[in-house]
Amino acid sequence: MKWLLKWVGNVVFGVGALCVLVGLALFFFGTREDAGPPPVAVSDPQAQIERGRDLARLGNCAACHTVRGGATYAGGTPVPTPFGTLYGPNITPDEQTGIGRWSSDDFWRALHNGKGRDGELLYPAFPYPQYTRMSRADADALYAYLRSVPAVRQESRAHELEWPYNRRALLEFWRLLYFRPGVHENEADQSAQWNRGRYLVEGPGHCAACHAPRNSMGASVDARGLPGGMIDGLGWYAPPLNANADIGLGRWSAEDVAALLRSGRTPHAVANGPMAEVVSGSTQYLSDADALAIGVYLKSLPATDTPRAGSAASNAAMTQGGRLYTQHCAQCHQADGRGRDAAWPALAGNATVTAPSAVNAIRVVLDGGFGPATQLEPRPHGMPPFGQMLGDNDIAAVLSYVRGSWGNKASAVTAQEVQRARASR
């Protein structure tokens, strides 16, 4: 009996020791951080602030840190996720409720290491997995700009996360698996323009936050490849930004990409939904050189295979859809689906139309297509909504026709898909 008790004791001790070691390793690797370079000396503080303003626009910081109708950067914007709702915090220089007591090192720590001023682990809805690539000079410029905006006394709203996701300690495990701090480094065999585009896309632009799918733990999958995916909580599909010819940028030029970013439209597509907000609040302010650099970089990304779900439309659905298309759509988009000028984009070869998910096209038909008003396109044409005019079966039929005509080879749309989109918008 004594030997048995001794054996059980040794096993318990061994398991306990292993758990302690695993816990220590998890804490060390899950909370590690990269100190990075010290602040960069600045000779022109006003120029640094202006540079920070441009970076704040590029990162579209106001989208998550300004509630509609509220003070700029005072926080409160809900960010829906599968784990609950987070709220953008107050990032004005108020000392009590904002970042007024933060140093430039504290701010760098948040962007580069995903940690708050007191060392708390930040939820990755704040895109520090992308911001970590930003240079110290750009982080300091963004900090200087935010220090220059009016301070607003407004408490940040507490996150509303389900258990166990409201336990920040679990972020140690998440970070162990999915986060590595590291500043962008240029690739010597690529041009300065390409490297600039990559920096803007992977760093301050954080394109992967929407244009890469997320796994069950909320981590971006294939962030470098930008293969597209559903945007959690918003009910829109972010298309691939690689060279896929059918559903990506394969038929676009770098100049086309730059035009969409700056004006919100090209003959290929019009920015709608969340992307319209990005263009309106962010990318329209890009310089011509930076917009083109982004286009050059994105055009270099290799195409990825995206699985298609569903089958082709039946002959009956194509006949019904063709009749509805002639009645409601052909006047603007033309009988051959090639569109007319940039005001009425082509539907043939349109990545929004042929996307693996039809949700974007469904929402545009339901609610109308309204491109962003920009400096280059202050009065864009819009598409009227058909949600009150057409039923679910009719919308499914006309979209099935569009997705299966003029060389488009996307799957049919069902009335159930339209019904779900109508209910959730």
Side-chain angles (χ1 to χ4, degrees), residues 64-65 67 75-80 84-90 125 156-161:
C64 290
H65 295 279
V67 71
T77 303
V79 181
T85 302
L86 296 99
Y87 294 91
N90 184 343
S156 295
R157 186 169 176 179
H159 301 318
E160 298 171 357
L161 296 173

Side-chain angles (χ1 to χ4, degrees), residues 92-400:
T92 72
D94 181 70
E95 291 193 355
Q96 301 301 319
T97 63
I99 60 171
R101 297 182 180 179
W102 287 45
S103 67
S104 60
D105 286 334
D106 295 331
F107 192 76
W108 164 261
R109 191 184 195 192
L111 267 63
H112 189 68
N113 292 300
K115 292 185 178 183
R117 178 171 177 259
D118 297 324
E120 72 273 19
L121 302 181
L122 302 179
Y123 288 102
F126 172 61
Y128 63 83
Q130 287 80 47
Y131 287 162
T132 188
R133 291 183 167 274
M134 290 177 63
S135 67
R136 180 63 194 251
D138 278 355
D140 287 350
L142 181 56
Y143 169 77
Y145 168 69
L146 292 175
R147 297 279 295 181
S148 75
V149 305
V152 178
R153 182 67 57 86
Q154 178 173 296
E155 291 288 346
S156 295
R157 186 169 176 179
H159 301 318
E160 298 171 357
L161 296 173
E162 301 174 3
W163 187 89
Y165 307 112
N166 58 353
R167 316 311 298 176
R168 286 184 186 263
L170 291 179
L171 288 171
E172 296 176 11
F173 179 69
W174 190 93
R175 292 163 61 95
L176 172 65
L177 294 176
Y178 303 117
F179 177 61
R180 300 290 185 276
V183 175
H184 165 85
E185 295 182 1
N186 287 339
E187 294 190 14
D189 59 343
Q190 296 287 352
S191 68
Q193 184 183 46
W194 185 94
N195 278 300
R196 176 64 175 169
R198 180 189 171 197
Y199 173 74
L200 295 173
V201 167
E202 294 188 350
H206 62 281
C207 300
C210 289
H211 290 276
R214 294 179 182 268
N215 62 20
S216 60
M217 296 190 68
S220 297
V221 178
D222 191 14
R224 285 292 307 272
L226 299 175
M230 290 298 298
I231 306 175
D232 289 338
L234 297 184
W236 287 81
Y237 176 80
L241 298 183
N242 54 45
N244 191 301
D246 293 326
I247 57 175
L249 303 177
R251 303 182 187 185
W252 296 45
S253 66
E255 289 75 15
D256 290 334
V257 176
L260 183 77
L261 294 174
R262 296 272 284 113
S263 71
R265 63 180 58 242
T266 72
H268 302 284
V270 173
N272 279 288
M275 190 61 200
E277 297 180 13
V278 170
V279 172
S280 177
S282 174
T283 60
Q284 69 159 314
Y285 301 107
L286 285 166
S287 67
D288 290 337
D290 279 351
L292 186 58
I294 289 174
V296 167
Y297 172 70
L298 292 179
K299 285 293 296 178
S300 74
L301 297 180
T304 55
D305 292 329
T306 303
R308 296 183 178 276
S311 57
S314 66
N315 291 335
M318 291 295 286
T319 299
Q320 179 190 5
R323 176 179 57 79
L324 291 166
Y325 181 85
T326 300
Q327 181 180 352
H328 298 289
C329 315
Q331 182 177 358
C332 294
H333 294 288
Q334 306 302 300
D336 59 3
R338 296 186 180 277
R340 181 154 49 96
D341 303 321
W344 296 277
L347 301 181
N350 187 311
T352 298
V353 170
T354 58
S357 170
V359 66
N360 292 4
I362 293 172
R363 296 189 67 158
V364 168
V365 174
L366 285 172
D367 299 324
F370 301 97
T374 62
Q375 299 171 107
L376 297 180
E377 290 284 348
R379 295 184 178 180
H381 290 270
M383 171 179 155
F386 288 88
Q388 299 299 319
M389 182 184 304
L390 300 177
D392 295 346
N393 287 320
D394 284 344
I395 292 176
V398 72
L399 285 176
S400 294

